[in-house]
Amino acid sequence: MPILYDYPRSRNGYKARLVASHLGLPLQVVTTDLMAGESRQADFLAKNAAGKVPVLELEDGTCLPESNAIALFLAEGSALLPDAKLERAQVLRWMFFEQSQLLPNIGLARMLKITGRDTQRPDVYAQRVEAAQDALSALERHFAGNDWAALGRFTVADIVLYAYSSVVEEAGIDTAPYPAFVAWRRRVESLPAHIPPDWGFAA
Ligand SMILES: N[C@@H](CCC(=O)N[C@@H](CS)C(=O)NCC(=O)O)C(=O)O
């Protein structure tokens, strides 16, 4: 069974676990303790030179880092990821948006907030919140006219967008200005195979 090296607070590994749940794929989740520096130790750096979770380790020992690469790999050949060139590009479009505009801004603002460093570095925090709000406004405009990220149906693009969308409030950002975005989040959460963020970790 493939192993997912992951950390409970990270929402990047959540993407892989969501794809696995939606497709009924087996996955063993192994905790890499980021707070203890485990992702920067030699054995982990051999799996991912970037020293970050998530990493998917296949049965033959091949290691695949980067959450969206893992999500694409797991979704390949399923209804979550179309084959047709333009349809696939429309899915990828939102996955690139997630990596460039959503994850870095919501992720860092949330990290500063939950570690109490938002008040120590108010300038950095404010910058990230502003950029996150800009990304959320883009999502709001999109979801005001679309139920799903791409192709009018649930795809792997919704899964990767959802991961950091689910922690906007933890970043200290009010979602009141984004009602269509909040409605889309609820649509994702109401799917039968949806799982909570701690799913797969040993109790
Ligand atoms: N672009 C990467 C980002 C991965 C990432 O930033 N992982 C964080 C946790 S969310 C991490 O492992 N940080 C530990 C570190 O940098 O030492 C992805 O999408 O997988």
Side-chain angles (χ1 to χ4, degrees):
M1 183 187 318
I3 297 172
L4 182 72
Y5 295 92
D6 198 353
Y7 182 69
R9 245 186 201 175
S10 165
R11 289 297 174 266
N12 284 312
Y14 187 28
K15 298 168 190 170
R17 288 179 286 112
L18 277 164
V19 175
S21 173
H22 279 280
L23 297 177
L25 304 174
L27 204 57
Q28 182 193 347
V29 179
V30 170
T31 301
T32 301
D33 189 346
L34 300 184
M35 295 304 119
E38 282 180 10
S39 69
R40 300 294 165 146
Q41 288 167 8
D43 57 337
F44 191 88
L45 290 172
K47 299 183 195 301
N48 180 7
K52 291 179 190 297
V53 294
V55 173
L56 183 72
E57 186 171 326
L58 304 178
E59 277 102 337
D60 68 357
T62 305
C63 286
L64 180 64
E66 285 296 328
S67 60
N68 287 359
I70 297 169
L72 284 171
F73 174 76
L74 294 176
E76 188 70 56
S78 80
L80 294 177
L81 181 62
D83 286 331
K85 201 165 146 181
L86 183 57
E87 289 196 347
R88 182 174 280 242
Q90 282 167 342
V91 168
L92 291 176
R93 168 252 175 132
W94 285 111
M95 297 178 75
F96 291 123
F97 172 88
E98 188 269 345
Q99 284 286 305
S100 62
Q101 289 169 71
L102 203 65
L103 158 64
N105 297 315
I106 293 177
L108 186 60
R110 171 181 178 244
M111 204 261 282
L112 291 169
K113 190 83 188 162
I114 60 188
T115 55
R117 283 186 284 154
D118 55 323
T119 49
Q120 286 165 21
R121 298 297 311 274
D123 49 336
V124 177
Y125 177 68
Q127 235 172 33
R128 292 301 171 140
V129 167
E130 195 184 333
Q133 287 167 330
D134 193 45
L136 290 168
S137 297
L139 290 175
E140 176 63 17
R141 285 189 290 274
H142 180 74
F143 289 122
N146 297 278
D147 280 353
W148 302 106
L151 314 175
R153 61 184 170 85
F154 180 69
T155 65
V156 67
D158 294 286
I159 291 178
V160 306
L161 284 173
Y162 176 79
Y164 277 87
S165 293
S166 69
V167 291
V168 173
E169 290 86 346
E170 287 180 28
I173 300 170
D174 182 14
T175 54
Y178 316 111
F181 162 80
V182 170
W184 161 78
R185 233 172 33 171
R186 280 203 213 98
R187 267 193 297 284
V188 173
E189 288 157 4
S190 68
L191 295 171
H194 187 73
I195 49 163
D198 59 354
W199 182 89
F201 288 96

